[in-house]
Amino acid sequence: MLRTVKPKNARVKRAMDAREPKETEDARTAIFVRGTHTGEVVNGVMKELMALKRPNAISFSKKNVIRPFEDASSLEFWSQKNDASMFLVGQTTKKRPAGLVIARTFDSKILDMCELGVDQFVSMAEFKTSKSTPGHKPMMHFASELFDTHPRFIQLKSLLMDFFNGEEVDSICMPGLEHVISISLAPAPALQTAAPESTQDDSKNLPKVHLRSYTIKLLPSGTRVPRVELVEMGPFIDFSLRRCQAADSEMWKAAMRRPKLKKQDVEKGVGKKRKNMEVDEMGDLRGRVHIAKQDLGKLQTRKMKGLKPALGEGVEGGDESEGEDDSSRRTKRRRD
């Protein structure tokens, strides 16, 4: 059961309301924590990932005695203190060298974790190319079917999406798309089909994860749509999956629950789907109105002087000579 805290005063209540779930969440803040023993590789990887995460990144310079899979109380304390929901813990041991742990919290409690081992690393300094501007939201590309079928890679995709995702935007500016983060998997024929549970739980049989980062060049193409080229900017990292901790069912259900929408949001079409009303791709609310069949013969049109009947028309038994005299009189008046 999740513990509920009652506010002591109005200031605490405002702070708690600001941390409540929202329909559009703010950018997640990540805390980078170093363990008791970190090598050159782990320090370099954490530095490069923090450069991609800025400005929503907090770095702890001191080393900490922390084991996330055994005791996560320190992470929960730091999460509540800094209002952060993501952690990247780097530590090197004899049994698990060059290890990184990506942890995610909900309501200042650990939701799930995944441990990755760094197999190969090339820093940004090795690539003599232009770099992206810090703070720009990256585009994410996952190149494998296992990210939608295998439970371990589904969890990894969710963690990486939350880790690199920035603020929600309503519109996209083409020059603002500066870099792409691509995550792909090494070939694994045994996992392309339905594999037994023992194979899925064995991390040694899982393929390696390749993380690449590219800058985007928009070149003239002679049309309104520019030609796009990708230039690798680094870092170049190869990961291998190790331990993982899945989320508790009740906590996951609470984390996925959407807040109750306000009346004006429902009227805009964000809430329940109402009859004969829909929201188009541009976000405009469109309604369909059903009316009875109209008789166009009784439709009131604009009254024009030239459409009025002449004098004597429509009178039964009238003399034709009288109609001609009237017309001649009108022509004489026009001449005068």
Side-chain angles (χ1 to χ4, degrees):
M1 295 297 292
L2 298 177
R3 183 173 61 93
T4 57
V5 180
K6 293 183 178 180
K8 297 181 180 179
N9 48 44
R11 181 176 60 84
V12 176
K13 188 178 185 303
R14 288 193 299 269
M16 293 178 62
D17 293 341
R19 296 188 179 188
E20 284 185 354
K22 306 174 185 177
E23 182 65 25
T24 303
E25 292 288 347
D26 301 331
R28 292 177 176 267
T29 302
I31 298 179
F32 292 77
V33 184
R34 294 194 301 168
T36 54
H37 300 282
T38 57
E40 182 179 357
V41 175
V42 174
N43 291 335
V45 172
M46 295 182 67
K47 181 180 178 181
E48 301 288 332
L49 294 180
M50 188 171 62
L52 296 177
K53 181 62 179 174
R54 285 175 180 169
N56 302 312
I58 300 175
S59 177
F60 286 1
S61 57
K62 295 183 179 180
K63 296 183 178 181
N64 300 270
V65 181
I66 182 171
R67 298 178 178 86
F69 286 92
E70 299 176 8
D71 184 14
S73 58
S74 299
L75 297 181
E76 295 175 354
F77 173 76
W78 292 330
S79 175
Q80 186 176 8
K81 197 74 174 176
N82 298 276
D83 192 17
S85 58
M86 298 294 298
F87 285 91
L88 186 68
V89 183
Q91 190 163 354
T92 297
T93 60
K94 186 177 181 180
K95 186 177 181 180
R96 298 182 179 87
L100 293 175
V101 178
I102 303 178
R104 179 169 48 184
T105 63
F106 170 71
D107 195 18
S108 301
K109 302 292 181 183
I110 290 295
L111 183 63
D112 55 349
M113 290 185 292
C114 180
E115 184 179 7
L116 303 172
V118 180
D119 298 331
Q120 189 177 0
F121 168 66
V122 180
S123 66
M124 291 185 182
E126 301 294 331
F127 298 92
K128 306 302 180 181
T129 57
S130 59
K131 313 303 178 185
S132 62
T133 306
H136 278 229
K137 185 175 181 178
M139 293 186 289
M140 303 291 295
H141 175 245
F142 293 88
S144 179
E145 296 180 355
L146 296 179
F147 286 114
D148 298 324
T149 57
H150 198 278
R152 292 292 304 275
F153 293 105
I154 292 175
Q155 181 192 24
L156 179 62
K157 178 181 177 181
S158 178
L159 287 170
L160 292 177
M161 286 288 290
D162 285 349
F163 186 82
F164 289 109
N165 192 17
E167 297 181 358
E168 294 291 336
V169 293
D170 299 331
S171 58
I172 298 176
C173 180
M174 187 70 71
L177 302 176
E178 291 192 0
H179 64 295
V180 181
I181 298 177
S182 176
I183 297 95
S184 59
L185 300 180
L191 294 179
Q192 297 298 336
T193 59
E197 295 182 359
S198 59
T199 306
Q200 294 182 2
D201 295 337
D202 189 4
S203 59
K204 296 181 180 180
N205 297 330
L206 297 177
K208 292 185 178 181
V209 182
H210 306 306
L211 188 145
R212 307 290 185 264
S213 183
Y214 304 90
T215 54
I216 299 176
K217 272 191 175 182
L218 302 178
L219 303 177
S221 62
T223 61
R224 296 186 62 184
V225 180
R227 184 167 59 91
V228 180
E229 288 187 2
L230 299 181
V231 181
E232 190 169 4
M233 72 169 187
F236 179 102
I237 310 175
D238 290 344
F239 294 110
S240 58
L241 289 180
R242 293 179 182 174
R243 296 177 294 177
C244 73
Q245 177 179 324
D248 182 66
S249 59
E250 293 185 1
M251 188 177 293
W252 182 263
K253 185 178 180 181
M256 297 299 292
R257 185 180 297 121
R258 303 178 70 90
K260 189 176 181 181
L261 300 178
K262 298 180 181 179
K263 183 179 179 181
Q264 56 265 27
D265 294 336
V266 178
E267 292 176 353
K268 291 180 181 178
V270 184
K272 292 183 178 180
K273 183 178 180 181
R274 292 183 290 177
K275 189 176 181 181
N276 298 330
M277 298 186 70
E278 59 183 4
V279 181
D280 59 5
E281 297 178 355
M282 304 301 294
D284 298 329
L285 181 64
R286 296 183 177 274
R288 186 181 303 170
V289 180
H290 298 274
I291 59 177
K293 187 176 180 180
Q294 294 181 345
D295 186 6
L296 299 180
K298 300 180 180 180
L299 185 65
Q300 179 65 43
T301 58
R302 182 180 178 184
K303 297 180 180 180
M304 297 181 64
K305 192 173 182 180
L307 298 177
K308 292 183 178 180
L311 296 176
E313 292 182 4
V315 181
E316 295 181 358
D319 191 4
E320 295 180 358
S321 61
E322 293 180 359
E324 293 178 357
D325 294 338
D326 294 338
S327 61
S328 62
R329 291 173 186 171
R330 287 197 298 269
T331 54
K332 288 179 181 181
R333 291 176 183 176
R334 293 176 183 173
R335 291 175 183 175
D336 294 338

